[in-house]
């Protein structure tokens, strides 16, 4: 542990430790992106130092300006997770943005071109970032790579690190299509919709447009 | 790689008089320039946009721009340009049940023309997919066969040798036998330069349905499914049997030798191939002879014709800084002027100059391939977001007597998951996290998915994403048109294009059939259809329409065409079969704008074939103009540049 973090500031170390249990990737994977310091700087800049300390820093002194609601704390946790997965800082819920009294515009931006290529989402399904890390001619014909199951992922990030958030206790993916629709994105209403503003499939009125659906 | 004729600025072009001036350094313009330069003619190519991508650092800059863009739309690798503005798909947004158009294109049609193009070195072909199917022979005569659209004045067989020339120049990878089964005609022993791009794993999943029958309820006919590979302008394994065993050496990246000589699966063809395995006009430009000059940042603003209807002068504005439209007027003369600036820009320039419009068809017949996108969750992982955007399709709905009852369509098997339809995979991350808040703006309650559960769920849900794209034929319709909007001008004072666009009943009937076919296919694949197009809270998605009580959304495919249509007579068309303007013997308008129909195939290869054919004709015209005078006076005089006797009249094409 000491050799891995000798040249990394303690703040970045604790930021990465915080991120392990939120992302489901090991600290090795997170450091391997090369983005740890850049993401830490981004989050600090987006939240401001005092709110960062209150929400993530884990300092025992608590928030310097009163309580921040649990909903906003959760939204910030989601935003940091999104940052690791996509390389972009997202648009957060307007209520959270307002409660944090942020000066920056509430829009999504890619932190750097390299951050895009280091997004974890591509690894999560066994792929590569579109436009980078090409796997080679003809590899798109191969069967998709086998993905680790939930136990393997959970075991992978445990060990010395317990994580500051509990792992899932219930099966992650629901069976019914309606419940699944609450976890899937719905259609874009314009050519591009910022990802965190996409409606969920459940909110897009998944009434089939073909009235004959299900009768064949 | 031979060294490129370097792009230059207008000030450094050596002369003000050229054999040929070509407006636009895109696909058509570059092909014509290379061919004429090869014949020794002096060619000046005027490109309105920026250059730079012809050097490797400049190209990498475009790749980085793409990586850093939040909205990974087709133009996302290229910066906007105030001096030579162009439309972006981001310009459009829904408004109530309709739309509003910001940005460069003004629009007043019932439906939005939701296609973009690019004004930069290489043009829109910089962000094309690289799909190079030919048009079907029957696509050339839809009017006389089924009573819709417009007939071509030439036929497939007339164009066939030029298709082969285009396939050589671009470097097409494909399987001729698969194309023969669709009705394309080739010489007996013809092969494409390179072997077919390997089909994707999803293509093979879909191939399990081969032979299964699907009912088209609009055509009232059953069709048997068969997956066919797509010919592509993308480097693949060379075919050693090409040209009687001569073989083929793939051409790679411009500015970096021995690189990009085979696709390595970056899966970002649109908007940019990071290794240049996908063909772009830069590659053709790198082979320009010394007699061809390319001047970037030169916006052609007007063409001036003399009393003999010959175009005498090309007026253009030169700028240094694309952030401002500050510019300086210059002009040049040429024996032949070729417009190759894209269907909409060609029409705009003709309208601004008041040229070529005896028929009243300039700007009319604007076409695209309105595309229905459907998406579903497969029962097993299918490996999306890998390889070129699509490598195979279902072709059986493109042809045959069913075209008399509904618009035909080509089904593209999408290899990039739900990207186009739902913004995957980034929107998957947001959706699973519950990030961004509920519709009322409050943060969503905790759904318990985080960490390992999030990673597992993303893997599960993204790996099963299937998307199908149905490119529907849109026939020529005079009501779909580009006109000028003199009340709204761009930074240089040129009136901006005003687009009026709609989808006819015939096209909408194609959507009805396409959706039914989509439903049947997903059912056979045991995939859970997630497609939906209904308005939410009084706001309809962009491109929404209702047909026979069903909701649909269409997307533009980027295939602008028809605006200077080709025909048999000057009363009813703008250009003849050689793409030469009926009204001006030394003016050509090349590009998809000449096409009377676009069938169900991506039009670029056909545009390339037409451009090469026009280049032959232009060379012939130039030879005629340069014929020496004879004592008996049977030929024209070079000094007076009178119209040579041999060049009149326009020859009518025999189909």
């Amino acid at each position: 542990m000491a050799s891995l973090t000798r040249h990394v500031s303690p703040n970045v170390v604790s930021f990465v430790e915080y991120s392990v249990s939120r992302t489901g990737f090991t600290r090795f994977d997170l450091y391997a992106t090369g983005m740890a310091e850049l993401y830490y700087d981004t989050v600090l800049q987006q939240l401001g130092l005092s709110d960062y300390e209150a929400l993530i820093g884990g300092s025992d002194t608590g928030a310097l300006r009163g309580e921040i609601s649990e909903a906003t704390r959760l939204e910030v946790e989601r935003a940091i997770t999104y940052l690791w997965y996509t390389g972009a800082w997202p648009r957060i819920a307007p209520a959270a943005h307002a409660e944090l009294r942020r000066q920056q515009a509430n829009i999504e931006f890619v932190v750097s071109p390299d951050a895009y290529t280091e997004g974890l989402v591509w690894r999560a399904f066994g792929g590569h970032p579109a436009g980078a890390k090409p796997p080679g001619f003809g590899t798109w014909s191969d069967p998709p790579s086998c993905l680790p199951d939930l136990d393997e992922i959970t075991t992978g990030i445990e060990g010395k690190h317990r994580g500051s958030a509990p792992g899932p206790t219930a099966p992650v993916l629901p069976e019914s299509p309606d419940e699944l629709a609450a976890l899937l994105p719905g259609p874009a209403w314009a050519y591009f919709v910022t990802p965190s503003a996409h409606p969920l499939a459940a909110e897009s009125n998944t009434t089939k447009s073909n009235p004959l659906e299900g009768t064949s | 790689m031979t060294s490129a004729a370097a792009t230059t600025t207008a000030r450094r072009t050596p002369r003000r008089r050229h054999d040929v001036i070509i407006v636009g350094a895109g696909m058509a313009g570059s092909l014509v320039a290379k061919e004429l330069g090869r014949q020794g003619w002096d060619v000046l190519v005027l490109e309105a946009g920026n250059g730079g991508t012809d050097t490797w650092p400049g190209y990498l800059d475009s790749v980085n721009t793409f990586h850093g863009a939040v909205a990974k739309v087709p133009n996302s690798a290229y910066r906007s340009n105030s001096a030579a503005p162009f439309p972006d798909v981001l310009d459009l947004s829904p408004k109530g049940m309709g739309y509003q158009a910001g940005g460069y294109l003004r629009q007043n049609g019932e439906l939005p023309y939701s296609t973009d193009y690019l004004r930069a070195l290489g043009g829109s072909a910089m962000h094309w997919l690289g799909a190079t199917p030919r048009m079907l022979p029957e696509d050339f005569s839809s009017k006389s066969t089924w009573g819709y659209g417009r007939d071509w004045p030439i036929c497939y067989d007339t164009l066939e040798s030029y298709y082969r020339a285009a396939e050589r120049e671009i470097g097409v990878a494909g399987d001729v036998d698969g194309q023969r089964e669709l009705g394309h005609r080739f010489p007996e022993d013809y092969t494409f330069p390179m072997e077919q791009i390997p089909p994707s794993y999803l293509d093979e999943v879909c191939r399990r349905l081969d032979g299964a029958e699907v009912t088209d309820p609009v055509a009232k006919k059953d069709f048997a499914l068969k997956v066919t590979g797509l010919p592509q302008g993308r480097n693949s394994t060379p075919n050693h049997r090409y040209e009687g065993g001569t073989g083929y050496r793939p051409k790679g990246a411009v500015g970096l030798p021995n690189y990009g000589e085979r696709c390595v699966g970056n899966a970002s063809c649109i908007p940019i191939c990071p290794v240049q395995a996908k063909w772009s006009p830069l590659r053709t430009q790198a082979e320009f002879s010394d007699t061809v000059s390319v001047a970037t940042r030169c916006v052609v603003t007007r063409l001036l014709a003399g009393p003999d209807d010959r175009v005498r002068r090309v007026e253009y504005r030169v700028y240094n800084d694309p952030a401002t439209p500050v510019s300086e007027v210059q002009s040049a003369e040429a024996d032949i002027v070729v417009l190759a600036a894209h269907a909409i820009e060609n029409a705009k320039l003709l309208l601004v100059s008041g040229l070529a419009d005896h028929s009243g068809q300039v700007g009319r017949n604007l076409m695209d391939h309105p595309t229905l996108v459907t998406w579903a969750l497969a029962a097993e992982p299918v490996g999306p977001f890998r390889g070129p955007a699509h490598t195979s399709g279902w072709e059986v709905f493109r042809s045959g007597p069913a075209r008399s009852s509904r618009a035909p369509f080509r089904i593209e098997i999408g290899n990039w998951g739900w990207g186009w339809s739902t913004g995957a995979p980034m929107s998957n991350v947001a959706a699973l996290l519950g990030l961004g808040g509920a519709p009322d703006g409050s943060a969503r309650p905790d759904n318990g998915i985080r960490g390992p559960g999030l990673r597992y769920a993303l893997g599960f849900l993204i790996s099963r994403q299937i998307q199908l794209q149905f490119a529907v034929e849109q026939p020529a319709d005079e009501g779909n048109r580009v006109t000028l909007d003199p009340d709204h001008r761009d930074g240089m004072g040129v009136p901006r294009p005003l687009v009026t666009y709609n989808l006819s009943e015939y096209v909408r009937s194609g959507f009805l059939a396409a959706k039914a076919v989509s439903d049947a296919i997903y059912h056979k694949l045991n995939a859970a259809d997630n497609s939906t197009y209904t308005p939410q809270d009084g706001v309809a998605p962009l491109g929404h329409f209702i047909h026979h009580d069903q909701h649909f959304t269409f997307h533009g495919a980027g295939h602008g065409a028809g605006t200077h249509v080709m025909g048999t007579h000057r009363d009813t068309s703008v250009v003849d079969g050689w793409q030469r303007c009926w009204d001006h013997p030394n003016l050509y308008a090349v590009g998809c704008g000449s096409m009377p129909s676009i069938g169900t195939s991506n039009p670029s290869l056909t545009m390339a074939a037409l451009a090469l054919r026009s280049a032959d004709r232009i060379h012939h015209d130039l030879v005629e103009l340069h014929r020496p005078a004879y004592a008996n006076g049977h030929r024209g005089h070079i000094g007076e540049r009178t119209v040579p006797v041999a060049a009149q009249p326009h020859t009518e094409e025999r189909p």
Side-chain angles (χ1 to χ4, degrees), chain B residues 550-563:
Chain B
Q550 286 188 34
H551 295 268
F552 296 99
T553 299
F554 81 94
H555 295 255
H559 300 164
T563 50

Side-chain angles (χ1 to χ4, degrees), chain A residues 173 180 183-184, chain B residues 377 428 432 457-465:
Chain A
L173 286 167
L180 206 54
L183 302 176
L184 290 168
Chain B
L377 213 56
N428 280 104
L432 274 167
L458 282 171
F460 186 95
L461 293 173
I462 296 175
S463 63
R464 286 161 171 75
Q465 289 182 355

Side-chain angles (χ1 to χ4, degrees), chain A residues 7 16 53 57 76 113 117 121 188 205 208 210 214:
Chain A
H7 302 290
V16 170
E53 303 248 299
V76 168
T117 65
V121 62
N205 188 358
K208 303 298 180 207
N210 179 357

Side-chain angles (χ1 to χ4, degrees), chain A residues 21-22 24 75 77-78 91 95 116 124 128 131 134 136-137 140-142 188-189 191 198 203-205 208-210, chain B residues 67 72 198-199 201 263-266 268 386 420-422 433 436 441 444-445 450-451 455 519 529 532 536 542 550:
Chain A
S21 60
R22 272 73 181 180
E75 188 72 358
E77 182 177 309
R78 289 166 172 153
R91 164 197 164 281
Y116 162 75
H128 66 92
F137 178 77
W140 53 88
S141 306
D142 296 339
W189 63 74
Y191 207 106
H198 256 271
E203 291 162 353
S204 303
N205 188 358
K208 303 298 180 207
S209 64
N210 179 357
Chain B
H67 286 169
K72 301 238 186 304
Y201 180 81
C263 173
V264 284
N266 271 286
S268 64
R386 300 189 301 168
W420 200 7
S421 49
T422 71
L433 283 171
R444 291 184 189 274
R450 59 172 51 77
R455 179 176 169 182
D519 293 348
D529 190 353
T532 179
Q536 301 301 314
L542 203 60
Q550 286 188 34

Side-chain angles (χ1 to χ4, degrees), chain A residues 17 32 35 42 50 64 66 70 75 77 85 94 104-105 109 131 135 141 147 151 155 172 178 194-195 211:
Chain A
E17 294 307 302
M35 293 291 133
T42 301
S50 66
L64 297 181
E70 177 60 22
E75 188 72 358
E77 182 177 309
Y85 269 90
Q104 301 90 332
F109 64 94
S141 306
L147 301 174
D151 286 335
T155 312
V172 170
D178 288 341
T194 196

